[in-house]
Amino acid sequence: MNKSITGTALLVLLLALVPLAGSRYLIYLVTEIQIFALFALSFNLLLGYGGLISFGHAAWFSIGAYASAILLTTLGWPFLLAFPAAVAVTALAAALIGYFCVKLTEIYFSMLTLAFGQLVWAIAFKWVSVTGGDTGFIGVAVPEFLDSPVRFFYFSLCVVLLCATVLWVIVRSAYGMTLVATRENRNRAEFIGVNVRRVQLVAFTLAGTFAGVAGALFTVFNHSVFVETAWWSTSAEVMIMSILGGVGSFVGPVIGAAVLIFLDRTVTEYTQYWPSVMGVILLAVLFFMPTGIAGFLNRRRGGTRR
Amino acid sequence: MSKKTTALLVCAAVTAAMASHPALAEEQEIRIGALYATSGPCLIFGESALKGHQMLVDKVNAEGGIDGRKVVTVHRDSKCNPAEATAAARDMIAKDGVDFLVGGISSSEGQAISEVAKQEGVIYVASIPKTTEMTSPEYFHRHLFRAAANTNTEGKSAAIIVDKLGWDKVCTLLLDYSYGYSLDESFTAHLQKIRPDAQIINQEWPKFGTTDYTAYITKTMGAGCDGVFSNIWGGIFPAFAKQAKPFGFFDQLEFVSAGEVGAPLVSENMGKDMPAGIWTNSYELFYYPDTPEHNAYVKELKDYLGSEHPPSWPSTGYIAAKWVLEGVRAAGDVNADAVIAALEGLTIDTPIGKQTMRASDHQANRGQFWGQMSDSEDESYPYKVLNPVEYVPADDLMD
């Protein structure tokens, strides 16, 4: 426990020092990793802790992204109002759609999340006057205090750390334990009086909300939103990040996001055949580290923590 | 403990390595970042466009560069995805120190790169994206230039062809996304202007990505029109034509197609399935026009690609790169402000003739080659070609 606190503190310190290195490339790269780390963390609340396989997690990311773009630009709200409002919109949407999704279990749950996810994409694609359709929403009115890569880096670092802490507290809480119980044995949890659906709905809403935060950050980072973010492949990507990093550990998805983005960017730089290279790397990782990178490292350290 | 130390050291080393600027632009170089998709659905276009770009850059370097400045191309795969294009464009500016961006295929990629160009103050020459939105007052910014013809030029030149064919009852068969909407707008407006009696009597909107066009085909055939204006573009046209043919669609109706169905590659892929008699457009055609500049370009491209009948897509990358290089030559500098000033109103020679960059919205007056699909008279090329064919200039059509 003590060790992990020291580790986290070191990591945060290292991150905070990144902009001092003076490389804009590094700032951009780490900012993107932070955002996707939060996205993957939110996804792992469902997959790792709730055992809920969602194929539509991109929906929340893109709702957060579009909501912040629309509130900031089309409606001209001030940032300090628009950002939380965009997150609130995502939370509401996640609660509403989650209500229907958690009525189903297993593969039916997954299929329904996929269907709703694609519905969000279809709305974003067709509602051209609001979302810009397939040409995208560009020129987001980003406030001046976030208009520099360094300032935005620190802003997103703070937001992501705050969200990660909240998620950490959630999964360690009685509620978090109950969620794990519903994953381990749904029937037994029901017998001891757990309202499984409600527990899952809360998890679904929370996961959606934090994905919305990541989406809103991504909008401000890029000054733009594109309909491709709502496509199911984004949901697949966040799933790969989580599995690659390790769904059995809290930090697993963060590692997965960092590794996947770093690989994606560097491999693309050196070869046109990056899809094959990435495929081989992913295969190797999953084959030799079935519990993900985090699980592998844990075992190497002789750790017994799940 | 030692493991932890090692890990930390590695971390520090990586950070330091990435932080140092390995590619601080040398004074003497012209560094161009090329964003062409070489994977995903745009692969076939991106690869071709990149070859055209590279061919010009190689030639210029072999001749000693521009005023002694060597040209360096950094290519990143934009993956036909705007978010990837954004990240790649940023990387090239921040890490590789490029002074110029060229490329983009889809309209969304174009918009994404344009947004980065605006934020970073780097010149972007859009080689393929067509959407008029990019150069509209809402999104236009001074670092953006477009070498490609926009959707106004394409839709309006189609209206000119329709007027020549003398249609009065017009059907449209346009894809249900922004490209289709933009063409619908410009085509309809221009047709009303030059042929007031013509009426659009039926509109079908096939979903983009559909594989079954049957319903749209039968409805269009039942509408009683003289001809059909469509934008089922080159990559997906073969599937559509295959389904339309058994209905006698192309025998009963005249057909004017935007979306570069006239590109030689599409004819070659379709062979006998390419319907004769349809009117369509292309960026460039290796067999037209018969001018010394164009013939020289085609010969060069033949040698470069090792292909007797080179495709039309390399011209897009070639011309975009040409704008950058001629801009630098005219400015005598790679400084963005100087090059912007030089490019505004500049006229350059391209394989398809003289092109001028309009100062007001940085749109080149790129026209379109339009013609009718007919059997080739050249025995070594047993595919359909555009004949008769003409260049429809863009000067009056861009707005």
Side-chain angles (χ1 to χ4, degrees):
Chain A
M1 192 67 193
N2 232 347
K3 252 187 187 169
S4 64
I5 287 178
T6 330
T8 316
L10 263 176
L11 179 73
V12 171
L13 191 71
L14 204 66
L15 280 175
L17 291 177
V18 161
L20 300 182
S23 156
R24 219 151 29 115
Y25 165 71
L26 194 62
I27 295 173
Y28 281 141
L29 183 73
V30 178
T31 311
E32 194 170 338
I33 289 176
Q34 286 169 9
I35 294 170
F36 277 89
L38 175 59
F39 186 30
L41 274 176
S42 76
F43 177 77
N44 201 40
L45 185 64
L46 289 179
L47 181 64
Y49 292 90
L52 296 162
I53 304 170
S54 166
F55 286 126
H57 207 55
W60 320 121
F61 187 81
S62 52
I63 289 178
Y66 273 115
S68 59
I70 292 162
L71 290 172
L72 278 170
T73 317
T74 318
L75 303 181
W77 285 21
F79 180 79
L80 292 178
L81 202 62
F83 194 82
V87 176
V89 168
T90 319
L92 267 176
L96 186 72
I97 291 175
Y99 174 79
F100 295 102
C101 290
V102 299
K103 284 187 182 291
L104 302 181
T105 56
E106 293 166 14
I107 188 73
Y108 306 102
F109 167 85
S110 302
M111 287 297 113
L112 200 58
T113 54
L114 177 63
F116 275 118
Q118 289 302 91
L119 188 69
V120 169
W121 173 83
I123 292 170
F125 188 86
K126 288 294 288 185
W127 203 2
V128 179
S129 56
V130 174
T131 63
D134 60 284
T135 44
F137 193 124
I138 66 162
V140 173
V142 173
E144 220 164 282
F145 71 97
L146 292 178
D147 209 5
S148 102
V150 174
R151 284 196 295 261
F152 182 73
F153 175 90
Y154 284 116
F155 175 76
S156 83
L157 181 64
C158 292
V159 173
V160 170
L161 281 179
L162 182 71
C163 291
T165 314
V166 174
L167 275 164
W168 168 259
V169 171
I170 289 172
V171 300
R172 297 277 133 176
S173 69
Y175 165 77
M177 302 296 167
T178 318
L179 180 63
V180 172
T182 66
R183 174 195 77 191
E184 288 298 310
N185 194 329
R186 186 190 172 100
N187 288 339
R188 191 176 284 185
E190 264 170 3
F191 278 135
I192 58 171
V194 174
N195 186 339
V196 173
R197 266 191 203 157
R198 191 185 298 158
V199 168
Q200 288 181 338
L201 177 58
V202 171
F204 198 92
T205 311
L206 284 171
T209 309
F210 285 107
V213 176
L217 283 175
F218 201 51
T219 294
V220 183
F221 176 48
N222 283 341
H223 297 213
S224 57
V225 192
F226 292 99
V227 73
E228 281 81 354
T229 36
W231 189 243
W232 64 263
S233 60
T234 310
S235 304
E237 207 172 300
V238 73
M239 187 180 282
I240 294 172
M241 285 172 181
S242 302
I243 294 173
L244 180 70
V247 293
S249 117
F250 183 79
V251 294
V254 177
I255 298 174
V259 169
L260 196 70
I261 290 176
F262 183 73
L263 276 181
D264 177 61
R265 303 283 281 282
T266 41
V267 175
T268 315
E269 200 176 320
Y270 294 110
T271 168
Q272 278 189 27
Y273 307 104
W274 61 270
S276 334
V277 178
M278 288 286 282
V280 170
I281 293 176
L282 291 186
L283 265 178
V285 168
L286 291 181
F287 193 78
F288 293 110
M289 310 177 190
T291 47
I293 299 170
F296 179 77
L297 293 178
N298 240 346
R299 215 157 14 127
R300 286 290 300 269
R301 272 204 333 228
T304 46
R305 248 174 50 211
R306 242 204 73 99
Chain B
M1 190 60 205
S2 76
K3 229 171 237 161
K4 212 169 202 176
T5 324
T6 328
L8 268 176
L9 277 176
V10 168
C11 260
V14 168
T15 316
M18 292 200 300
S20 63
H21 285 267
L24 262 181
E26 277 178 50
E27 291 268 327
Q28 293 302 314
E29 286 180 348
I30 301 170
R31 300 182 68 85
I32 307 178
L35 285 151
Y36 292 107
T38 45
S39 66
C42 309
L43 160 86
I44 176 168
F45 315 120
E47 257 184 353
S48 243
L50 181 62
K51 288 212 170 101
H53 171 98
Q54 203 57 54
M55 180 175 92
L56 177 68
V57 169
D58 289 353
K59 188 176 98 173
V60 167
N61 281 336
E63 289 166 359
I66 304 281
D67 300 334
R69 287 192 176 89
K70 212 172 141 262
V71 187
V72 177
T73 302
V74 181
H75 169 253
R76 264 328 131 74
D77 184 357
S78 59
K79 303 177 189 174
C80 215
N81 176 317
E84 296 280 355
T86 302
R90 274 184 180 152
D91 279 8
M92 290 198 296
I93 296 167
K95 196 175 171 207
D96 304 303
V98 302
D99 307 306
F100 304 93
L101 296 168
V102 295
I105 294 178
S106 68
S107 296
S108 57
E109 273 187 322
Q111 292 273 58
I113 302 167
S114 171
E115 184 65 37
V116 175
K118 185 168 105 186
Q119 288 168 35
E120 304 278 344
V122 167
I123 291 174
Y124 165 43
V125 179
S127 28
I128 303 172
K130 294 178 178 178
T131 177
T132 45
E133 242 175 53
M134 271 171 81
T135 45
S136 71
E138 198 183 347
Y139 299 118
F140 172 71
H141 56 91
R142 54 193 287 273
H143 289 90
L144 169 70
F145 291 86
R146 173 162 31 204
N150 64 18
T151 45
N152 278 346
T153 300
E154 195 174 24
K156 289 181 180 182
S157 54
I160 291 174
I161 300 293
V162 164
D163 180 42
K164 277 186 187 160
L165 293 173
W167 301 354
D168 287 320
K169 290 186 232 159
V170 180
C171 285
T172 68
L173 187 63
L174 297 167
L175 294 168
D176 197 9
Y177 72 112
S178 58
Y179 179 32
Y181 312 146
S182 311
L183 281 181
D184 178 43
E185 209 174 290
S186 56
F187 172 80
T188 310
H190 201 61
L191 190 65
Q192 260 166 11
K193 194 170 141 199
I194 59 174
R195 194 174 180 83
D197 294 338
Q199 275 185 332
I200 303 223
I201 57 167
N202 189 55
Q203 296 204 289
E204 297 298 329
W205 298 96
K207 297 271 166 292
F208 176 44
T210 187
T211 49
D212 183 5
Y213 295 95
T214 319
Y216 310 109
I217 292 167
T218 51
K219 275 190 203 149
T220 304
M221 290 183 75
C225 38
D226 300 329
V228 183
F229 170 55
S230 156
N231 76 329
I232 300 179
W233 44 270
I236 49 180
F237 183 76
F240 165 75
K242 218 169 220 174
Q243 288 172 32
K245 209 174 180 184
F247 291 94
F249 185 88
F250 298 107
D251 303 326
Q252 278 188 32
L253 291 167
E254 289 194 299
F255 192 77
V256 169
S257 180
E260 284 81 32
V261 172
L265 201 60
V266 181
S267 282
E268 287 164 32
N269 286 343
M270 291 181 72
K272 286 197 171 23
D273 290 334
M274 173 59 88
I278 66 166
W279 287 78
T280 181
N281 60 345
S282 179
Y283 289 117
E284 188 265 349
L285 299 159
F286 67 84
Y287 48 81
Y288 183 87
D290 189 10
T291 61
E293 300 86 37
H294 185 244
N295 291 341
Y297 164 81
V298 171
K299 183 173 177 304
E300 219 181 298
L301 193 59
K302 274 181 189 171
D303 295 342
Y304 195 80
L305 300 178
S307 141
E308 200 43 42
H309 306 288
S312 57
W313 283 84
S315 67
T316 58
Y318 184 97
I319 294 172
K322 183 110 188 174
W323 276 115
V324 171
L325 298 180
E326 293 301 324
V328 173
R329 198 198 298 278
D333 198 351
V334 291
N335 172 273
D337 291 325
V339 179
I340 291 172
L343 278 173
E344 287 179 345
L346 185 69
T347 299
I348 64 168
D349 286 313
T350 76
I352 59 164
K354 287 207 184 304
Q355 296 274 293
T356 302
M357 188 61 77
R358 186 158 68 172
S360 60
D361 64 350
H362 297 182
Q363 167 70 50
N365 64 338
R366 177 85 158 267
Q368 298 254 311
F369 290 95
W370 280 92
Q372 188 174 27
M373 272 295 166
S374 323
D375 285 319
S376 162
E377 287 158 12
D378 177 0
E379 271 177 22
S380 70
Y381 190 71
Y383 307 103
K384 294 206 173 56
V385 293
L386 296 182
N387 183 24
V389 56
E390 62 180 311
Y391 179 73
V392 181
D395 301 80
D396 304 324
L397 308 178
M398 300 189 281
D399 298 304

